[in-house]
Amino acid sequence: MTSGPTAAAPGAAAGPNHGRRVLVAWVVLSVVATPLVAAFLGPAIPPGNGSTQASEQVFDNTWMVSVITPVICLLVVFFAYALTRFRLERGGDAVLDGPPLRSDARIQVLWIVATSVIVLFFAGFGTFELLQNGAGGGQGPSPVAIPGGPKLEVQVIAQQWQFTYRYPTFGGMESNQLVLPENTDVALHVTSLDAVHSFWAYELGVKADASPGVDNVAFVKTKGPRTFHVRCAELCGLWHGYMFDTGQVVTGSRFATWIARQQSQFREVTKELPKYATTYNPDPTARAG
Ligand SMILES: [Cu+2]
């Protein structure tokens, strides 16, 4: 954008330094817009702060929109300037044009360095964040990074067209409700009995594919009590649109009460269930499973 000493070309306008004008407008717009984006737009991006992973996603998104704001500002300023300044002057017949940017070594170097720095920064930032907290996504059967401390294991079993939740540390009890204790590290073991589904606990920032024969592990650390939405996020057949329910994060004592009640209510059913496993192969001729 800067007009170098050799940049003048036939038809180029003499006089105003277009590069400097664009630069100043870009800096001013960026200085105003970036803090606004970081303060207001970033934190408003879903999924909110329903879990540690959800908060991390908001944090990451805030960084990303903040870093790209100056880039967008540059595009907007450059286009606005070019469209309004480099044109046929009213009443004249000479087309006003700026200095050519092609072959400008400074701009080439700046372009390569700036884009490389931005991309490499995000590669490093993203990797660090993934290893630190997980992303709330399914990490396959043997996750590379396991965030947090000891975990409550909960199995999410998808099937056409509902989710069932199994608690292996509470006698392998199954429930059609997902209830989690507050401020707890949870390992969600997501699998399917039939088609490919996707377990999406929106406010918890969790989304993991549910595939038959696969134990897809997703980590989440709950915060305070709340409700959250669970949806299937993979087109899985006729009633896919109705494959949703509502989960709850509750206090430790309420969780203990709920577990005890479920265990006693489903005692007879639990006996008939297949032994807890990370995957299941339903046998249509068998009575359960
Ligand atoms: Cu589904």
Side-chain angles (χ1 to χ4, degrees):
M1 265 127 282
T2 53
S3 53
T6 59
N17 187 327
H18 300 294
R20 188 171 299 145
R21 284 179 172 184
V22 169
L23 192 69
V24 169
W26 171 54
V27 169
V28 170
L29 187 61
S30 298
V31 165
V32 172
T34 306
L36 291 175
V37 165
F40 298 108
L41 178 63
I45 296 176
N49 294 298
S51 72
T52 301
Q53 282 68 20
S55 296
E56 286 296 327
Q57 289 165 24
V58 172
F59 175 76
D60 297 350
N61 287 333
T62 302
W63 264 93
M64 282 194 276
V65 291
S66 302
V67 170
I68 63 169
T69 298
V71 178
I72 292 170
C73 288
L74 179 61
L75 291 174
V76 168
V77 167
F78 185 80
F79 274 107
Y81 192 86
L83 287 171
T84 53
R85 296 291 302 167
F86 302 143
R87 55 190 298 166
L88 191 64
E89 281 184 314
R90 195 184 298 275
D93 54 2
V95 177
L96 189 68
D97 197 3
L101 303 180
R102 198 185 171 95
S103 306
D104 187 314
R106 287 179 304 175
I107 287 181
Q108 287 173 336
V109 169
L110 194 65
W111 190 268
I112 292 168
V113 170
T115 51
S116 301
V117 166
I118 292 172
V119 170
L120 290 175
F121 166 75
F122 274 125
F125 178 79
T127 306
F128 176 79
E129 288 289 292
L130 270 179
L131 295 176
Q132 189 85 343
N133 297 296
Q139 301 188 39
S142 44
V144 176
I146 301 175
K151 294 178 178 46
L152 169 68
E153 306 226 336
V154 180
Q155 187 171 49
V156 178
I157 306 165
Q159 69 190 102
Q160 290 169 325
W161 287 276
Q162 66 174 37
F163 291 105
T164 308
Y165 308 98
R166 194 163 195 190
Y167 293 77
T169 45
F170 295 96
M173 180 273 288
E174 270 189 23
S175 174
N176 62 351
Q177 303 165 48
L178 178 56
V179 177
L180 301 170
E182 64 180 350
N183 301 318
T184 304
D185 275 304
V186 181
L188 296 159
H189 291 260
V190 183
T191 190
S192 168
L193 300 183
D194 41 44
V196 175
H197 304 265
S198 178
F199 171 71
W200 183 23
Y202 172 77
E203 289 87 349
L204 299 187
V206 171
K207 197 175 188 192
D209 281 348
S211 306
V214 176
D215 173 31
N216 191 13
V217 186
F219 299 108
V220 65
K221 182 165 188 187
T222 55
K223 291 187 172 182
R226 63 166 304 133
T227 58
F228 57 90
H229 294 96
V230 173
R231 277 202 161 275
C232 178
E234 185 76 51
L235 187 59
C236 59
L238 190 60
W239 302 112
H240 161 71
Y242 290 90
M243 194 168 163
F244 60 87
D245 56 63
T246 305
Q248 284 184 72
V249 177
V250 297
T251 60
S253 58
R254 279 198 62 191
F255 179 73
T257 310
W258 178 81
I259 279 283
R261 198 175 335 117
Q262 297 285 304
Q263 278 180 304
S264 79
Q265 190 176 343
F266 293 118
R267 181 165 291 121
E268 294 306 313
V269 178
T270 307
K271 281 185 205 161
E272 302 293 329
L273 292 175
K275 206 167 158 305
Y276 177 77
T278 52
T279 62
Y280 302 97
N281 277 320
D283 176 357
T285 63
R287 203 154 64 93

